[in-house]
mmCIF file of all heavy atoms in Angstrom:
data_model
loop_
_atom_site.group_PDB
_atom_site.id
_atom_site.type_symbol
_atom_site.label_atom_id
_atom_site.label_comp_id
_atom_site.label_asym_id
_atom_site.label_seq_id
_atom_site.Cartn_x
_atom_site.Cartn_y
_atom_site.Cartn_z
ATOM 1 N N VAL W 172 19.767 4.625 8.876
ATOM 2 C CA VAL W 172 18.371 5.059 8.956
ATOM 3 C C VAL W 172 18.187 6.278 8.068
ATOM 4 O O VAL W 172 19.032 7.182 8.060
ATOM 5 C CB VAL W 172 17.984 5.427 10.409
ATOM 6 C CG1 VAL W 172 16.578 6.004 10.469
ATOM 7 C CG2 VAL W 172 18.085 4.215 11.302
ATOM 8 N N GLU W 173 17.097 6.285 7.312
ATOM 9 C CA GLU W 173 16.782 7.463 6.510
ATOM 10 C C GLU W 173 15.350 7.882 6.776
ATOM 11 O O GLU W 173 14.472 7.043 6.949
ATOM 12 C CB GLU W 173 16.946 7.163 5.017
ATOM 13 C CG GLU W 173 16.836 8.402 4.141
ATOM 14 C CD GLU W 173 16.642 8.058 2.664
ATOM 15 O OE1 GLU W 173 15.567 7.534 2.303
ATOM 16 O OE2 GLU W 173 17.567 8.303 1.880
ATOM 17 N N THR W 174 15.118 9.206 6.820
ATOM 18 C CA THR W 174 13.757 9.727 6.914
ATOM 19 C C THR W 174 13.468 10.572 5.679
ATOM 20 O O THR W 174 14.369 11.158 5.085
ATOM 21 C CB THR W 174 13.565 10.600 8.162
ATOM 22 O OG1 THR W 174 14.415 11.754 8.064
ATOM 23 C CG2 THR W 174 13.876 9.845 9.444
ATOM 24 N N SER W 175 12.194 10.572 5.262
ATOM 25 C CA SER W 175 11.754 11.426 4.149
ATOM 26 C C SER W 175 10.534 12.186 4.636
ATOM 27 O O SER W 175 9.521 11.577 4.986
ATOM 28 C CB SER W 175 11.364 10.572 2.938
ATOM 29 O OG SER W 175 12.438 9.762 2.528
ATOM 30 N N GLY W 176 10.633 13.501 4.650
ATOM 31 C CA GLY W 176 9.525 14.301 5.169
ATOM 32 C C GLY W 176 9.394 15.628 4.462
ATOM 33 O O GLY W 176 10.028 15.867 3.431
ATOM 34 N N SER W 177 8.556 16.500 5.038
ATOM 35 C CA SER W 177 8.237 17.769 4.373
ATOM 36 C C SER W 177 8.753 18.974 5.151
ATOM 37 O O SER W 177 8.551 20.105 4.737
ATOM 38 C CB SER W 177 6.718 17.877 4.195
ATOM 39 O OG SER W 177 6.078 17.874 5.446
ATOM 40 N N ASN W 178 9.420 18.737 6.289
ATOM 41 C CA ASN W 178 9.847 19.861 7.114
ATOM 42 C C ASN W 178 11.178 19.515 7.776
ATOM 43 O O ASN W 178 11.228 18.704 8.708
ATOM 44 C CB ASN W 178 8.757 20.164 8.158
ATOM 45 C CG ASN W 178 9.046 21.406 8.978
ATOM 46 O OD1 ASN W 178 10.141 21.565 9.511
ATOM 47 N ND2 ASN W 178 8.066 22.288 9.068
ATOM 48 N N ALA W 179 12.268 20.135 7.302
ATOM 49 C CA ALA W 179 13.615 19.766 7.757
ATOM 50 C C ALA W 179 13.796 20.000 9.255
ATOM 51 O O ALA W 179 14.429 19.191 9.943
ATOM 52 C CB ALA W 179 14.665 20.536 6.960
ATOM 53 N N ALA W 180 13.228 21.107 9.773
ATOM 54 C CA ALA W 180 13.383 21.406 11.204
ATOM 55 C C ALA W 180 12.721 20.307 12.040
ATOM 56 O O ALA W 180 13.310 19.790 13.003
ATOM 57 C CB ALA W 180 12.767 22.761 11.528
ATOM 58 N N HIS W 181 11.494 19.926 11.652
ATOM 59 C CA HIS W 181 10.797 18.860 12.380
ATOM 60 C C HIS W 181 11.543 17.537 12.264
ATOM 61 O O HIS W 181 11.684 16.801 13.241
ATOM 62 C CB HIS W 181 9.368 18.687 11.826
ATOM 63 C CG HIS W 181 8.471 19.860 12.094
ATOM 64 N ND1 HIS W 181 7.220 19.982 11.537
ATOM 65 C CD2 HIS W 181 8.646 20.972 12.854
ATOM 66 C CE1 HIS W 181 6.659 21.114 11.953
ATOM 67 N NE2 HIS W 181 7.502 21.733 12.734
ATOM 68 N N ASP W 182 12.018 17.237 11.055
ATOM 69 C CA ASP W 182 12.627 15.922 10.819
ATOM 70 C C ASP W 182 13.960 15.770 11.558
ATOM 71 O O ASP W 182 14.237 14.713 12.132
ATOM 72 C CB ASP W 182 12.832 15.681 9.317
ATOM 73 C CG ASP W 182 11.508 15.648 8.562
ATOM 74 O OD1 ASP W 182 10.451 15.740 9.223
ATOM 75 O OD2 ASP W 182 11.517 15.554 7.326
ATOM 76 N N THR W 183 14.771 16.829 11.544
ATOM 77 C CA THR W 183 16.051 16.728 12.267
ATOM 78 C C THR W 183 15.812 16.640 13.778
ATOM 79 O O THR W 183 16.529 15.926 14.475
ATOM 80 C CB THR W 183 16.989 17.912 11.945
ATOM 81 O OG1 THR W 183 16.249 19.129 12.041
ATOM 82 C CG2 THR W 183 17.546 17.815 10.544
ATOM 83 N N ALA W 184 14.787 17.362 14.258
ATOM 84 C CA ALA W 184 14.461 17.273 15.691
ATOM 85 C C ALA W 184 14.050 15.846 16.050
ATOM 86 O O ALA W 184 14.481 15.299 17.072
ATOM 87 C CB ALA W 184 13.344 18.255 16.045
ATOM 88 N N LYS W 185 13.226 15.240 15.213
ATOM 89 C CA LYS W 185 12.793 13.854 15.490
ATOM 90 C C LYS W 185 13.990 12.901 15.458
ATOM 91 O O LYS W 185 14.124 12.026 16.305
ATOM 92 C CB LYS W 185 11.749 13.398 14.449
ATOM 93 C CG LYS W 185 10.354 13.994 14.659
ATOM 94 C CD LYS W 185 9.324 13.312 13.763
ATOM 95 C CE LYS W 185 7.924 13.878 13.957
ATOM 96 N NZ LYS W 185 7.561 14.955 13.030
#
Side-chain angles (χ1 to χ4, degrees):
Chain W
V172 175
E173 189 195 68
T174 64
S175 302
S177 62
N178 186 310
H181 293 171
D182 297 356
T183 47
K185 285 190 180 94

